[in-house]
Amino acid sequence: MIKSTENLIKRSKKGDKQAFGELVLLYGEYVFSLVFRMVTIDAVAEDITQDVFVRAWKNIHKYEISKSKITTWLFTIASRLSLDYLRSHKNTQTINDDFDLAYNDEEVQDNKELGQLIRKASRELSDTQKLVFTLRDLEDLDVSEVVSITGFSEKKIKDNLYVARKRVREKVEFYLKIV
Amino acid sequence: MERGSEDIRKRPKLRDKEELRRRVMNQIESESTIQQNKRFVWLRIAASLLVVFSVGAYVWMESDTQLQRHDTIARIENKVIFSKPDWRCRNNMMSLLASFNNSGLQFNNDGSALMLIKSDIELLQDSHPDLYSDAQGFIQALKELYPQLYHQYKSDEAVRLNFWILKDDKRLCQYITQ
């Protein structure tokens, strides 16, 4: 898998669009996942995901396999575009709950509800907190990876993560009390 | 939070990966076409500028060569390529020539040229002192513009100055009348 991914990247660097198309199929969902968790609107997330790959194609000659993982590089682009979107649409944000259509299993109904609450709570975080929380807690990435994706210092990440977790916990507890 | 962590970390599903790939490829394709078109436009502009500059340089070199050739021929044949003076300068010259004619300076038989002779000019000094200074201007102009004719004049030979040269040579006309 790694070998074939490397091969696809090398071919893409040489201008092979077919190979890049394969990379889109391989990593489309990863990128979409991060973008969707940031912007929370299905159609917008798809558009941004598309832009992420178009930008990746334009800059693939700059990407060095030895320096970072392809997912880290793609997440870097995705997080920047998502933040750009959030900053330019600060006052026009709408919330889309259709995201849960992918979760059909009735056995995980409780978990699903809690998951929904956490997602809802995370929407109320600041852009930076949301990005750090999404990468670290939802995408389950190492702090070092979050550092290289966001360009933030480790301290800044930890501070934002602490505040984000606290706010999410408070919100979830608040929702649970209401229910 | 632990209870729901598995569920929360489930990736949101992309509706259609193939559709995403198709959209990305289309956009890449269309952007590269636009870029190619832009490159062609710039190439065409550059080529057009090159052609314009080349033609311009060629025309300039041709005309400059022609001018230099004329000048050289004129120097060899002791002619001058005339740049015609304006009508005011020509009028002044004509009235000056008429004054010379009235003052007794010699003209050739058919009246088309002024015969400049050193002894005649010296006579003017007493008879027409105002014209004498104009005549001195003539001599000075000859010295500057037609050195050969000036030497001819200095060695007491008659210098023949065609009217058409006098009125059509801008340099001479301006030198004398201004």
Side-chain angles (χ1 to χ4, degrees):
Chain A
M1 174 72 175
I2 295 170
K3 280 267 178 197
S4 71
T5 306
E6 269 189 28
N7 186 34
L8 288 175
I9 294 167
K10 280 177 187 163
R11 279 169 54 200
S12 301
K13 274 170 166 280
K14 286 177 187 165
D16 185 341
K17 288 179 188 162
Q18 203 80 30
F20 189 75
E22 295 295 318
L23 286 176
V24 176
L25 287 179
L26 275 175
Y27 296 106
E29 201 139 278
Y30 282 94
V31 173
F32 174 79
S33 149
L34 170 66
V35 175
F36 181 83
R37 280 168 168 156
M38 289 294 290
V39 301
T40 68
I41 304 171
D42 218 12
V44 173
E46 282 179 4
D47 287 347
I48 294 176
T49 306
Q50 181 182 333
D51 291 344
V52 169
F53 282 104
V54 172
R55 193 170 284 196
W57 168 254
K58 284 180 189 166
N59 293 294
I60 195 142
H61 59 282
K62 293 181 192 164
Y63 170 65
E64 288 174 40
I65 302 172
S66 56
K67 282 196 176 169
S68 64
K69 290 195 284 185
I70 182 85
T71 44
T72 307
W73 185 61
L74 289 172
F75 273 14
T76 307
I77 303 172
S79 58
R80 277 181 200 159
L81 292 184
S82 303
L83 285 178
D84 285 349
Y85 174 82
L86 290 175
R87 280 167 194 156
S88 59
H89 293 78
K90 237 181 181 117
N91 302 320
T92 55
Q93 272 272 64
T94 54
I95 291 166
N96 178 10
D97 283 325
D98 295 345
F99 155 43
D100 300 314
L101 289 174
Y103 300 80
N104 292 323
D105 194 348
E106 285 179 12
E107 289 177 13
V108 292
Q109 192 59 36
D110 287 348
N111 283 352
K112 180 186 157 187
E113 281 170 9
L114 186 59
Q116 277 180 336
L117 285 179
I118 290 173
R119 278 192 300 277
K120 240 178 216 179
S122 74
R123 283 167 190 155
E124 290 168 37
L125 300 175
S126 74
D127 296 344
T128 311
Q129 288 163 359
K130 192 192 281 184
L131 178 63
V132 170
F133 181 74
T134 305
L135 290 170
R136 183 74 185 96
D137 284 355
L138 302 184
E139 292 296 335
D140 206 17
L141 300 178
D142 296 339
V143 175
S144 61
E145 273 184 294
V146 181
V147 168
S148 61
I149 289 169
T150 58
F152 301 153
S153 68
E154 206 166 303
K155 184 180 181 306
K156 187 176 177 180
I157 289 165
K158 283 180 178 167
D159 290 349
N160 275 283
L161 197 57
Y162 173 78
V163 177
R165 281 172 178 166
K166 194 175 162 216
R167 288 183 68 183
V168 168
R169 193 179 299 119
E170 282 168 4
K171 285 283 170 193
V172 169
E173 281 170 3
F174 174 74
Y175 290 134
L176 287 175
K177 269 181 202 166
I178 294 172
V179 175
Chain B
M1 199 149 140
E2 282 303 311
R3 199 162 62 105
S5 64
E6 284 301 307
D7 184 68
I8 298 156
R9 283 176 186 152
K10 261 188 185 173
R11 293 188 179 284
K13 294 277 180 212
L14 186 60
R15 274 186 294 204
D16 189 348
K17 285 189 203 174
E18 193 54 48
E19 168 69 9
L20 173 70
R21 190 181 77 99
R22 198 184 54 74
R23 283 172 57 182
V24 169
M25 290 327 222
N26 282 349
Q27 198 177 333
I28 288 171
E29 206 64 54
S30 69
E31 282 191 15
S32 76
T33 311
I34 290 168
Q35 263 188 336
Q36 235 169 10
N37 287 347
K38 272 187 191 166
R39 203 175 300 139
F40 271 122
V41 168
W42 282 113
L43 269 176
R44 280 177 195 166
I45 291 172
S48 307
L49 286 176
L50 196 68
V51 168
V52 167
F53 279 124
S54 306
V55 170
Y58 174 77
V59 168
W60 181 80
M61 277 188 344
E62 274 294 303
S63 68
D64 189 57
T65 309
Q66 284 295 329
L67 282 178
Q68 286 191 13
R69 183 183 297 156
H70 270 258
D71 275 352
T72 309
I73 291 169
R75 268 198 299 278
I76 292 166
E77 296 181 359
N78 200 21
K79 288 177 187 167
V80 176
I81 301 302
F82 295 119
S83 167
K84 285 194 174 181
D86 60 18
W87 62 271
R88 207 172 281 125
C89 191
R90 294 172 78 174
N91 276 355
N92 289 342
M93 177 61 89
M94 292 310 288
S95 48
L96 185 65
L97 289 175
S99 308
F100 281 154
N101 193 15
N102 294 335
S103 68
L105 286 185
Q106 290 185 39
F107 284 73
N108 71 339
N109 291 341
D110 61 2
S112 65
L114 169 67
M115 303 305 290
L116 208 58
I117 302 166
K118 200 175 173 185
S119 54
D120 288 352
I121 299 292
E122 277 163 7
L123 284 175
L124 281 179
Q125 198 169 1
D126 296 326
S127 58
H128 298 86
D130 52 333
L131 278 180
Y132 178 74
S133 68
D134 290 337
Q136 286 304 312
F138 247 101
I139 310 303
Q140 196 56 36
L142 280 185
K143 190 179 176 183
E144 294 285 328
L145 306 172
Y146 299 97
Q148 260 186 327
L149 294 179
Y150 177 72
H151 286 303
Q152 212 176 318
Y153 170 80
K154 279 299 247 186
S155 53
D156 292 330
E157 284 180 52
V159 175
R160 186 175 183 277
L161 289 170
N162 280 322
F163 284 162
W164 67 269
I165 289 186
L166 294 176
K167 67 181 174 54
D168 283 351
D169 184 348
K170 189 177 182 178
R171 293 180 308 159
L172 184 65
C173 185
Q174 282 180 342
Y175 198 102
I176 292 166
T177 59
Q178 288 164 15

